[in-house]
Amino acid sequence: MAEHSSETDDSLFRAAFGALPDAACIFEPIGVPGEGVADWRYLAINPALCAMFGTGDLTGQALGQHFPKMLAHWTADLERVILSDTPAVLVREGGQSPSFYEVVLTPLRYAGRRAIMARIRDITGEHQAREKRREADARYKLLFDAIDEGFCIIEVVFDADNRPVDYRFIEVNGAFVEQTGLVNPVGKAMRELEPDIEDKWVAAYGRIAQTGVAERFESKSEAMNRWFDVYAFPIGETAPYLLGILFEDIGKRKAMELALRHSENRLHSLIEASSDLIFRMNPECTLMQQVGGKPLLGDVGEERNWVEDFVPDGDRAAVEAGLADAVRRRAPLEIESRVRTAGGDIVWLAARAVPVLDESGAITEWFGMATDVTTRRQTEQQLFQGAEMLRVASEIGKVAMWEWNVETGEMFWSEEHYRIEGYSVGEVIPSYERWADRVHPDDLAGVELRVAKAMETGEDYIHEYRVCHPTGDILWVSARGRFMFDEAGKPVRMLGAMIDITQRRREEEWQRLLVAELQHRVRNLIGMVRSVARLSAPSHRHVDEYVDHLIGRLQAMGRTQSTLTRSPGSSVDLAELVREELLVHAVQPDQCHVDGPEIALSPHAAEIVTLAIHELATNSIKYGALGDTGYIRIVWSSEQRGDKQWVSLRWQETAQLRKTKQNRKGFGRKLIEERVPYELQGHGRFAVHDTGVLAELEFPLVDAGSILDPRS
Amino acid sequence: MTDRTLSGHRIVILEDDYYQAQDCRQLLEAAGAKVIAISATVPDLSALLEEGRIDAVLIDINLGHGLSFDFARDLKARAIPFVFLTGYDAAMLPDDLAGSGYLTKPADAARIKAALAHASQSAR
């Protein structure tokens, strides 16, 4: 280069300087750098700079002359570069922001003098791009650490044959450790961290690294005992790519999914297998749709107004009320009603539904199931009717029932059973002992023997025995029972019924006595008639007279008998007896005076008094007062003598004259004087005075009457 | 009357009906018997026995008072023969007196006499 003249060099330099794309200029200090530089003179200025500043060629002129602000701004930098003799790159914001300039200051020597070249480039675009990337990077980093998912960047390691063998973590986020359990992974290889890691992971990542195709998959790592949901994508321009991996440990979700699927399967099976009808209803419970289970209503098809379509008219109001109540309370609904199926059959359905609520608590729908309870209802109805029938029948029939659990000793008594045993209902806990307590002591052995026999043979237990009440009452009961046996023939239960037959027993006994008494009376009467006939005979010479007397006496006896049988066992009123006897003999009221207190005679005494009055009246008509214009006083009284009440009856005739004097002891006199003492343990007197007959009867009153009175 | 079937027999009659008792007394006395007592109620046996022996007793069963069975038992205990004369059936007799002499009313005189003779005979 030495041959070249400085003139040639200068023109070459100028050409190059002028062709520079960047704006450039060369300054020389006006003054001594380090001691005070007043201004900078342009030694050269290229066209690009002229264009940038919009000026002409400023060579030879001073910077401060044209751009005083620039001088103030730059002079320190220019002086520093000159003094340090080191190039500097400065970035400055332009006056019209946003605009950035890169200024390169290079110290140089020009014609033996120190100078400086400034090259100015507009880097506004570059600067903005860089700022943007920096912001993006910061945001990315923030996101990276903020997400719950694990994220990492890996580099897949290939062997010599280009097969993936491992992968290395380049970067991981905060959630990585939590999601994987791998600690401090950055810079380490996977097989270093987890030697047992499955090959499938390396294979998958190797494939993505080579193909550059992102993949999404769920897979379980047995080695890590975790389920992962993974999205792996390539990073970079060429294969083998780095990989970004976004993943999540979905073990819990997976377990829940499995459980949910299992549960769904089971629910589905249940619905399919259900003999119930599964349904949903609208919030108002008016429309119903079958969603599964058995078609209890037949083919329901679309949503239907089920109350109108299926519920019979009579039950509709009750069902609607039940629905309205459940809707109002927003509480589970339970309804049992008859429904008419699509086929026209009437069945009983028990439906239960629960409201499904949304977040605001409003009902969105009802979900429920219905069961066919027709058989149960029928059974219940039959049971109810049966029990009702049994209850009424046993109440009406006064049947006492018992059930005896032979194994446990437990006993059940119906209310009537308590009553028959002389307990108030519920007074004692029924038991064999409480029952045995009330059996008549004399009957207990026999009853227990019968029960034991029935238990042994399986034959029905049938027995009649006496029950003693604490009140002293004794009841006759008729009991029938049957033992139930298990398969092994062991007695397990005894069921039985019992009725009070005291009345029947009493009537039977009464009837037996009555028949016996009747026989006795008839035979006695015949004996008596025979005796009366014989005893009447001696006093009459004429047959006609004898027959009259005999018939009269027999009629009087007949009257007594009819009085007695008319009201068997009851007593006879003395006054009534006397009046009736006088009436029979046609005694006029003005012929007699009857007076005495009210006295009840035993049937036996009544019979004798009747006959006595008959004899006296007959006699009086024939011979005494009643046959004439006489008068009779019949009076009686009673008084206490010792421990007995005695009655005294007096018959007194007053006659003008006596037809015959009668001293012979006739039938009537014998009756009064002998029969009264003999049969009534009393006294009898019969006397004939001038004025007429005076007869007196005295005897103690006894309660015991005829056997016909069962209470006596 | 030359009937002496019951000649010397000392007899007691328990019969609550006066007429029938009289009737019986007459027919027994006609047969030579000595009726030592005739009563509508149970007599005092010991007092009667103090007066002499009793060969036979004729008893009317009177359920109305129910005492005649006890009286019969008393007689049985003292080995005094007796015969029931009653309108009731023999079935009415209690078990311990079931085998006793028994006549159903109305009985004719011959049967009463024969029964009493038989009873007193077998006791001797």
Side-chain angles (χ1 to χ4, degrees):
Chain A
M1 299 286 249
E3 301 104 298
H4 294 298
S5 65
S6 59
E7 199 177 336
T8 314
D9 285 348
D10 190 53
S11 66
L12 195 64
F13 163 75
R14 284 186 185 279
F17 187 68
L20 267 177
D22 296 337
C25 62
I26 296 172
F27 295 109
E28 71 169 348
I30 302 169
V32 179
E35 293 168 18
V37 176
D39 206 344
W40 298 82
R41 186 182 298 117
Y42 289 103
L43 296 178
I45 183 163
N46 76 346
L49 188 63
C50 294
M52 183 184 281
F53 291 158
T55 59
D57 190 357
L58 302 172
T59 303
Q61 296 178 22
L63 175 62
Q65 185 182 343
H66 291 284
F67 309 105
K69 272 189 188 163
M70 266 195 202
L71 171 66
H73 191 80
W74 288 103
T75 187
D77 289 323
L78 294 172
E79 195 171 351
R80 179 166 47 81
V81 171
I82 292 277
L83 288 174
S84 68
D85 200 20
T86 313
V89 178
L90 302 170
V91 174
R92 289 284 185 274
E93 221 169 317
Q96 300 146 328
S97 63
S99 61
F100 292 91
Y101 298 93
E102 184 190 64
V103 179
V104 182
L105 301 175
T106 313
L108 50 83
R109 301 259 167 198
Y110 181 71
R113 300 193 302 260
R114 285 205 283 192
I116 188 164
M117 181 171 94
R119 195 159 50 86
I120 302 158
R121 196 160 61 91
D122 182 347
I123 58 159
T124 305
E126 271 174 53
H127 184 84
Q128 279 176 344
R130 198 163 53 238
E131 276 298 306
K132 270 186 188 151
R133 195 161 67 240
R134 205 171 51 76
E135 278 172 25
D137 277 356
R139 279 204 295 271
Y140 162 72
K141 182 66 183 162
L142 209 62
L143 186 69
F144 191 68
D145 283 329
I147 56 173
D148 290 335
E149 287 86 357
F151 182 73
C152 59
I153 296 172
I154 61 164
E155 174 193 17
V156 181
V157 180
F158 294 91
D159 65 5
D161 295 329
N162 210 25
R163 282 189 302 246
V165 290
D166 202 348
Y167 51 92
R168 190 178 306 280
F169 294 99
I170 295 170
E171 207 174 334
V172 299
N173 74 341
F176 181 91
V177 175
E178 196 189 322
Q179 296 277 359
T180 61
L182 302 175
V183 184
N184 289 329
V186 176
K188 290 176 185 152
M190 185 65 194
R191 289 199 190 282
E192 190 182 331
L193 293 162
E194 181 55 69
D196 296 331
I197 192 71
E198 296 82 2
D199 289 341
K200 62 179 177 185
W201 300 97
V202 179
Y205 296 147
R207 184 171 61 244
I208 299 164
Q210 282 169 330
T211 61
V213 179
E215 287 185 28
R216 160 155 252 149
F217 58 92
E218 278 182 10
S219 190
K220 187 183 184 187
S221 168
E222 298 290 345
M224 298 171 75
N225 194 27
R226 284 168 194 261
W227 264 97
F228 291 107
D229 176 19
V230 175
Y231 176 61
F233 54 92
I235 298 174
E237 305 296 322
T238 56
Y241 303 95
L242 293 182
L243 257 58
I245 300 173
L246 189 62
F247 66 95
E248 193 180 2
D249 179 355
I250 55 166
K252 275 184 197 155
R253 198 185 86 202
K254 213 65 194 172
M256 272 167 63
E257 269 178 15
L258 274 175
L260 190 64
R261 195 178 310 146
H262 189 57
S263 150
E264 268 180 353
N265 280 342
R266 284 201 302 192
L267 182 64
H268 190 69
S269 306
L270 193 68
I271 288 176
E272 285 308 304
S274 172
S275 57
D276 297 334
L277 178 153
I278 317 288
F279 63 88
R280 56 170 295 279
M281 290 189 295
N282 63 343
E284 296 77 30
C285 286
T286 50
L287 300 174
M288 191 263 274
Q289 187 181 22
Q290 174 158 8
V291 292
K294 209 172 168 188
L296 297 176
L297 292 170
D299 185 12
V300 177
E302 293 299 302
E303 271 196 341
R304 293 176 70 157
N305 186 326
W306 68 282
V307 178
E308 269 181 25
D309 290 356
F310 299 115
V311 178
D313 296 352
D315 295 4
R316 204 167 288 165
V319 170
E320 280 171 343
L323 293 175
D325 181 55
V327 168
R328 186 177 52 74
R329 291 186 297 116
R330 303 194 307 161
L333 152 74
E334 263 178 282
I335 283 181
E336 199 163 307
S337 163
R338 285 182 301 175
V339 295
R340 191 187 303 279
T341 66
D345 298 327
I346 292 284
V347 295
W348 276 92
L349 286 190
R352 196 182 145 77
V354 289
V356 179
L357 306 177
D358 64 12
E359 290 82 359
S360 67
I363 300 175
T364 55
E365 65 176 350
W366 292 77
F367 195 71
M369 56 198 283
T371 311
D372 184 343
V373 294
T374 311
T375 315
R376 196 198 78 204
R377 289 295 296 220
Q378 283 169 347
T379 310
E380 276 175 3
Q381 183 69 13
Q382 282 165 359
L383 266 178
F384 176 76
Q385 282 172 343
E388 189 69 2
M389 226 151 88
L390 191 62
R391 191 182 64 76
V392 172
S394 62
E395 254 180 43
I396 291 174
K398 290 200 175 299
V399 178
M401 290 180 292
W402 79 85
E403 182 179 350
W404 175 27
N405 185 327
V406 180
E407 289 171 315
T408 65
E410 278 177 305
M411 247 188 212
F412 166 79
W413 290 352
S414 70
E415 294 188 358
E416 186 62 23
H417 198 288
Y418 281 98
R419 285 193 278 269
I420 282 190
E421 298 277 332
Y423 294 110
S424 58
V425 175
E427 181 190 340
V428 292
I429 295 169
S431 69
Y432 187 90
E433 290 70 28
R434 294 288 85 72
W435 164 77
D437 285 349
R438 292 292 159 89
V439 178
H440 192 291
D442 295 347
D443 294 355
L444 185 58
V447 178
E448 291 193 305
L449 195 70
R450 302 268 185 156
V451 172
K453 185 162 176 273
M455 194 193 284
E456 191 187 330
T457 61
E459 286 168 16
D460 282 359
Y461 155 76
I462 302 172
H463 196 41
E464 291 184 2
Y465 59 93
R466 284 167 295 173
V467 168
C468 300
H469 285 194
T471 56
D473 291 344
I474 293 179
L475 265 58
W476 271 96
V477 298
S478 169
R480 283 169 168 266
R482 183 176 295 174
F483 278 95
M484 311 281 164
F485 300 86
D486 63 10
E487 292 83 358
K490 210 168 74 133
V492 288
R493 264 181 349 135
M494 185 195 201
L495 290 171
M498 180 164 74
I499 51 169
D500 179 351
I501 56 159
T502 311
Q503 187 61 22
R504 196 193 81 199
R505 277 261 172 178
R506 197 177 280 158
E507 280 163 3
E508 281 172 2
E509 176 74 9
W510 176 229
Q511 196 173 23
R512 206 169 53 81
L513 285 176
L514 211 59
V515 169
E517 185 64 19
L518 190 65
Q519 267 181 351
H520 169 80
R521 284 197 175 225
V522 168
R523 287 167 183 168
N524 227 12
L525 203 59
I526 291 169
M528 218 158 82
V529 168
R530 202 170 57 180
S531 301
V532 167
R534 208 191 323 268
L535 293 168
S536 300
S539 58
H540 305 287
R541 276 164 289 172
H542 304 293
V543 174
D544 290 351
E545 199 182 359
Y546 164 64
V547 169
D548 283 349
H549 272 95
L550 187 57
I551 286 173
R553 284 163 191 158
L554 291 179
Q555 280 174 338
M557 280 165 66
R559 282 196 293 280
T560 317
Q561 288 300 317
S562 68
T563 308
L564 292 184
T565 44
R566 199 186 306 143
S567 52
S570 60
S571 51
V572 181
D573 180 52
L574 178 56
E576 198 179 317
L577 182 156
V578 170
R579 287 201 183 90
E580 191 175 329
E581 214 45 43
L582 294 175
L583 194 68
V584 167
H585 291 91
V587 176
Q588 299 303 310
D590 60 349
Q591 286 184 290
C592 63
H593 170 77
V594 178
D595 187 35
E598 190 177 306
I599 285 175
L601 293 181
S602 74
H604 187 202
E607 184 184 325
I608 292 170
V609 173
T610 302
L611 259 181
I613 304 286
H614 165 75
E615 288 297 324
L616 289 167
T618 308
N619 215 31
S620 181
I621 290 165
K622 195 166 181 183
Y623 307 109
L626 294 178
D628 197 0
T629 53
Y631 188 77
I632 304 170
R633 284 173 57 86
I634 304 167
V635 294
W636 62 88
S637 63
S638 79
E639 62 172 333
Q640 190 78 25
R641 289 186 202 167
D643 60 346
K644 281 175 179 160
Q645 188 74 17
W646 281 67
V647 60
S648 305
L649 183 142
R650 173 198 287 251
W651 166 291
Q652 186 171 24
E653 291 183 24
T654 310
Q656 295 304 320
L657 83 159
R658 188 76 192 161
K659 287 178 181 169
T660 56
K661 193 89 169 168
Q662 197 193 31
N663 281 323
R664 196 174 46 82
K665 205 165 188 176
F667 186 88
R669 188 168 178 177
K670 269 190 179 173
L671 173 81
I672 292 164
E673 290 186 340
E674 294 180 18
R675 194 180 172 191
V676 169
Y678 186 87
E679 291 189 18
L680 297 180
Q681 284 77 47
H683 312 293
R685 278 185 293 281
F686 182 91
V688 183
H689 300 283
D690 289 342
T691 52
V693 169
L694 171 66
E696 287 174 306
L697 285 78
E698 290 183 325
F699 53 92
L701 290 170
V702 287
D703 294 335
S706 165
I707 187 170
L708 281 171
D709 185 355
R711 287 157 298 193
S712 71
Chain B
M1 286 283 249
T2 53
D3 182 0
R4 309 309 291 172
T5 330
L6 295 169
S7 183
H9 282 63
R10 294 166 63 82
I11 291 172
V12 173
I13 297 171
L14 178 59
E15 162 65 66
D16 69 350
D17 185 81
Y18 168 75
Y19 296 120
Q20 293 187 65
Q22 292 302 323
D23 206 19
C24 263
R25 184 174 60 82
Q26 283 180 9
L27 76 89
L28 292 178
E29 283 176 353
K34 182 172 174 51
V35 176
I36 54 171
I38 167 169
S39 174
T41 57
V42 173
D44 183 347
L45 209 50
S46 301
L48 283 175
L49 282 169
E50 273 174 23
E51 294 170 13
R53 64 167 208 284
I54 300 172
D55 292 316
V57 182
L58 187 64
I59 306 171
D60 170 43
I61 297 175
N62 185 340
L63 281 178
H65 296 286
L67 296 170
S68 50
F69 291 134
D70 286 341
F71 181 59
R73 288 188 187 102
D74 196 5
L75 293 173
K76 200 178 175 185
R78 296 173 191 247
I80 299 171
F82 59 90
V83 171
F84 285 118
L85 173 63
T86 178
Y88 296 114
D89 278 338
M92 289 298 284
L93 290 180
D95 291 348
D96 59 331
L97 298 171
S100 309
Y102 180 87
L103 288 170
T104 308
K105 285 185 184 175
D108 55 44
R111 283 177 64 205
I112 294 172
K113 286 185 281 188
L116 285 172
H118 175 75
S120 58
Q121 205 75 46
S122 50
R124 278 181 188 172

